[in-house]
Amino acid sequence: AQSVSQHNHHVILSEAASLELGCNYSYGGTVNLFWYVQYPGQHLQLLLKYFSGDPLVKGIKGFEAEFIKSKFSFNLRKPSVQWSDTAEYFCAVTEKNQAGTALIFGKGTTLSVSS
Amino acid sequence: DADVTQTPRNRITKTGKRIMLECSQTKGHDRMYWYRQDPGLGLRLIYYSFDVKDINKGEISDGYSVSRQAQAKFSLSLESAIPNQTALYFCATRGQGDQPQHFGDGTRLSIL
């Protein structure tokens, strides 16, 4: 069965620090990968996605993620975080080309950014 | 995302009560999903539906049932609510092909 592991439960950073959140998945087939963000009291919003092509994908708000197939990883990065990036971040995976397949989520990483 | 609407947004109820959470969408998507979110556990899939005639159990379907009344509507029911079903519930939709899921604003359910 597929699973997603997020390495950090809670990350605390100061503004302007660089961010990297780890995500590894277990699945032998071809996958689509996602990062979602949930700001306090809000619903999940898509941050970025990888379906195919360039393994370095850029999302909204300056975030990017790199798909490394050999490591089954899809780590999220941002060079300089802002206070407004305080949120919970979820990595998710689904099988490629499987109609209707649901997302498998990691347990989430809470990011707290101090100003 | 205003295209996926969940009602109610908040609900407090007692153990043993029957609860229905509703989800409607204007995105025209065939695929709809119900998840629950618990602190430290992320989102877990309860049920999902490919179309009106199709219902599938997810990871944690026990204690829940669903109804796909129309393409745009997917309801989640707790027949006899229990306290460990206290959680934040999200509905999501997805179009065909390689598409991301779109989430509603969530329903915060508390069972006393």
Side-chain angles (χ1 to χ4, degrees), chain A residues 32 36 38 43 51 96 100 102, chain B residues 1 31 37 98 101 104-105:
Chain A
N32 293 329
Y36 282 85
Q38 185 179 31
H43 63 280
F51 291 153
K96 182 177 274 302
Chain B
D1 190 332
R31 296 155 180 79
Q37 183 182 14
D98 283 338
Q101 292 188 10
D105 287 338

Side-chain angles (χ1 to χ4, degrees), chain A residues 26-45:
Chain A
S26 66
Y27 180 65
T30 306
V31 295
N32 293 329
L33 296 156
F34 307 84
W35 276 96
Y36 282 85
V37 60
Q38 185 179 31
Y39 297 104
Q42 296 188 25
H43 63 280
L44 277 79
Q45 302 173 39

Side-chain angles (χ1 to χ4, degrees), chain A residues 2 4 11 19 35 43 83 99:
Chain A
Q2 295 179 47
V4 177
V11 173
L19 170 71
W35 276 96
H43 63 280
W83 176 82

